[in-house]
Amino acid sequence: MILRTRPDVVATWSDNEVARRWMMICLHRRSSDGLLLPPTEAEIRSIAGRPVKCGEIRNRLSSISWWMRLLCRGVAMRANQEDEESGCFSLCHADGRRSLAAGVCRLCRSG
């Protein structure tokens, strides 16, 4: 995977666009089927109406470190779900199935 950030492009986005993109990355709501639901306009406005929060999110969208953190979080959550475990993935077993994912998480913590 190759990641490239474009802070110059992110800087041109409106607060609504920043909030929408962030909410699409960090989806929280699920349908009754368990499918992730896109953010509502109210959810987007709740972030877009807060200039300090939008600035923080704008910086995160421009940061490789934040992208790695999100990647690590996704890997850890999926591995924990598959193994029916909870808690900090990086402290769990480093057996053959988990060693690659654990390595990703170590990279995230060091990044």
Side-chain angles (χ1 to χ4, degrees):
M1 174 186 307
I2 297 174
L3 295 175
R4 177 181 177 201
T5 62
R6 293 288 311 269
D8 57 319
V9 173
V10 175
T12 67
W13 294 342
S14 68
D15 287 351
N16 273 358
E17 184 66 12
V18 168
R20 185 186 69 75
R21 288 179 184 251
W22 184 254
M23 297 287 297
M24 291 299 293
I25 294 168
C26 302
L27 294 173
H28 297 287
R29 293 182 314 111
R30 293 184 180 266
S31 68
S32 57
D33 307 7
L35 299 174
L36 290 170
L37 296 171
T40 64
E41 285 300 315
E43 290 171 325
I44 291 170
R45 282 194 306 270
S46 74
I47 292 176
R50 298 166 45 200
V52 173
K53 183 70 174 174
C54 278
E56 180 182 302
I57 292 170
R58 198 179 299 275
N59 287 336
R60 289 177 180 179
L61 289 171
S62 300
S63 168
I64 292 290
S65 295
W66 269 97
W67 285 104
M68 289 302 296
R69 182 178 291 185
L70 290 172
L71 173 64
C72 181
R73 179 177 159 231
V75 168
M77 288 174 63
R78 186 168 183 169
N80 281 341
Q81 184 179 28
E82 288 175 3
D83 291 346
E84 297 177 359
E85 293 188 19
S86 62
C88 183
F89 172 76
S90 60
L91 297 177
C92 294
H93 332 292
D95 62 18
R97 287 186 339 154
R98 291 180 158 237
S99 60
L100 176 60
V104 170
C105 287
R106 280 192 294 278
L107 283 173
C108 294
R109 286 195 310 271
S110 67

